[in-house]
PDB file of all heavy atoms in Angstrom:
ATOM      1  N   LEU A 757      23.212  -4.858   1.116  1.00 96.00           N
ATOM      2  CA  LEU A 757      22.312  -5.617   0.252  1.00 96.00           C
ATOM      3  C   LEU A 757      20.878  -5.588   0.782  1.00 96.00           C
ATOM      4  O   LEU A 757      19.920  -5.533   0.003  1.00 96.00           O
ATOM      5  CB  LEU A 757      22.792  -7.061   0.128  1.00 96.00           C
ATOM      6  CG  LEU A 757      24.023  -7.297  -0.754  1.00 96.00           C
ATOM      7  CD1 LEU A 757      24.382  -8.777  -0.766  1.00 96.00           C
ATOM      8  CD2 LEU A 757      23.760  -6.799  -2.181  1.00 96.00           C
ATOM      9  N   PHE A 758      20.747  -5.596   2.118  1.00 96.00           N
ATOM     10  CA  PHE A 758      19.399  -5.489   2.679  1.00 96.00           C
ATOM     11  C   PHE A 758      18.758  -4.164   2.287  1.00 96.00           C
ATOM     12  O   PHE A 758      17.578  -4.117   1.925  1.00 96.00           O
ATOM     13  CB  PHE A 758      19.424  -5.598   4.208  1.00 96.00           C
ATOM     14  CG  PHE A 758      18.140  -5.105   4.837  1.00 96.00           C
ATOM     15  CD1 PHE A 758      16.992  -5.888   4.818  1.00 96.00           C
ATOM     16  CD2 PHE A 758      18.071  -3.834   5.393  1.00 96.00           C
ATOM     17  CE1 PHE A 758      15.802  -5.426   5.356  1.00 96.00           C
ATOM     18  CE2 PHE A 758      16.886  -3.362   5.941  1.00 96.00           C
ATOM     19  CZ  PHE A 758      15.747  -4.167   5.918  1.00 96.00           C
ATOM     20  N   ALA A 759      19.528  -3.077   2.377  1.00 96.00           N
ATOM     21  CA  ALA A 759      18.989  -1.764   2.026  1.00 96.00           C
ATOM     22  C   ALA A 759      18.533  -1.742   0.567  1.00 96.00           C
ATOM     23  O   ALA A 759      17.459  -1.207   0.250  1.00 96.00           O
ATOM     24  CB  ALA A 759      20.039  -0.682   2.271  1.00 96.00           C
ATOM     25  N   LEU A 760      19.318  -2.337  -0.324  1.00 97.00           N
ATOM     26  CA  LEU A 760      18.934  -2.393  -1.740  1.00 97.00           C
ATOM     27  C   LEU A 760      17.657  -3.218  -1.926  1.00 97.00           C
ATOM     28  O   LEU A 760      16.775  -2.854  -2.710  1.00 97.00           O
ATOM     29  CB  LEU A 760      20.073  -2.996  -2.562  1.00 97.00           C
ATOM     30  CG  LEU A 760      21.351  -2.156  -2.654  1.00 97.00           C
ATOM     31  CD1 LEU A 760      22.440  -2.919  -3.399  1.00 97.00           C
ATOM     32  CD2 LEU A 760      21.070  -0.826  -3.360  1.00 97.00           C
ATOM     33  N   TRP A 761      17.564  -4.335  -1.202  1.00 97.00           N
ATOM     34  CA  TRP A 761      16.379  -5.191  -1.269  1.00 97.00           C
ATOM     35  C   TRP A 761      15.144  -4.454  -0.737  1.00 97.00           C
ATOM     36  O   TRP A 761      14.069  -4.499  -1.339  1.00 97.00           O
ATOM     37  CB  TRP A 761      16.639  -6.462  -0.479  1.00 97.00           C
ATOM     38  CG  TRP A 761      15.443  -7.317  -0.188  1.00 97.00           C
ATOM     39  CD1 TRP A 761      14.978  -7.663   1.042  1.00 97.00           C
ATOM     40  CD2 TRP A 761      14.576  -7.967  -1.123  1.00 97.00           C
ATOM     41  NE1 TRP A 761      13.875  -8.471   0.945  1.00 97.00           N
ATOM     42  CE2 TRP A 761      13.597  -8.678  -0.381  1.00 97.00           C
ATOM     43  CE3 TRP A 761      14.520  -8.008  -2.506  1.00 97.00           C
ATOM     44  CZ2 TRP A 761      12.587  -9.416  -0.974  1.00 97.00           C
ATOM     45  CZ3 TRP A 761      13.500  -8.752  -3.111  1.00 97.00           C
ATOM     46  CH2 TRP A 761      12.562  -9.437  -2.349  1.00 97.00           C
ATOM     47  N   ALA A 762      15.310  -3.750   0.377  1.00 97.00           N
ATOM     48  CA  ALA A 762      14.191  -3.007   0.962  1.00 97.00           C
ATOM     49  C   ALA A 762      13.732  -1.896   0.025  1.00 97.00           C
ATOM     50  O   ALA A 762      12.524  -1.685  -0.164  1.00 97.00           O
ATOM     51  CB  ALA A 762      14.603  -2.421   2.314  1.00 97.00           C
ATOM     52  N   ILE A 763      14.683  -1.190  -0.577  1.00 97.00           N
ATOM     53  CA  ILE A 763      14.329  -0.112  -1.498  1.00 97.00           C
ATOM     54  C   ILE A 763      13.605  -0.669  -2.718  1.00 97.00           C
ATOM     55  O   ILE A 763      12.628  -0.082  -3.207  1.00 97.00           O
ATOM     56  CB  ILE A 763      15.599   0.663  -1.910  1.00 97.00           C
ATOM     57  CG1 ILE A 763      16.145   1.454  -0.714  1.00 97.00           C
ATOM     58  CG2 ILE A 763      15.310   1.608  -3.079  1.00 97.00           C
ATOM     59  CD1 ILE A 763      17.527   1.991  -0.927  1.00 97.00           C
ATOM     60  N   PHE A 764      14.075  -1.813  -3.227  1.00 97.00           N
ATOM     61  CA  PHE A 764      13.381  -2.450  -4.350  1.00 97.00           C
ATOM     62  C   PHE A 764      11.937  -2.769  -3.985  1.00 97.00           C
ATOM     63  O   PHE A 764      11.012  -2.518  -4.757  1.00 97.00           O
ATOM     64  CB  PHE A 764      14.114  -3.726  -4.761  1.00 97.00           C
ATOM     65  CG  PHE A 764      13.312  -4.594  -5.716  1.00 97.00           C
ATOM     66  CD1 PHE A 764      13.208  -4.254  -7.058  1.00 97.00           C
ATOM     67  CD2 PHE A 764      12.649  -5.725  -5.255  1.00 97.00           C
ATOM     68  CE1 PHE A 764      12.452  -5.031  -7.929  1.00 97.00           C
ATOM     69  CE2 PHE A 764      11.903  -6.510  -6.117  1.00 97.00           C
ATOM     70  CZ  PHE A 764      11.795  -6.158  -7.459  1.00 97.00           C
ATOM     71  N   MET A 765      11.730  -3.344  -2.793  1.00 97.00           N
ATOM     72  CA  MET A 765      10.380  -3.675  -2.356  1.00 97.00           C
ATOM     73  C   MET A 765       9.500  -2.435  -2.265  1.00 97.00           C
ATOM     74  O   MET A 765       8.335  -2.435  -2.696  1.00 97.00           O
ATOM     75  CB  MET A 765      10.425  -4.356  -0.977  1.00 97.00           C
ATOM     76  CG  MET A 765      10.772  -5.822  -1.009  1.00 97.00           C
ATOM     77  SD  MET A 765      10.429  -6.557   0.611  1.00 97.00           S
ATOM     78  CE  MET A 765       8.666  -6.309   0.713  1.00 97.00           C
TER      79      MET A 765
END
Side-chain angles (χ1 to χ4, degrees):
L757 286 179
F758 164 77
L760 293 175
W761 167 240
I763 291 167
F764 168 77
M765 280 192 63

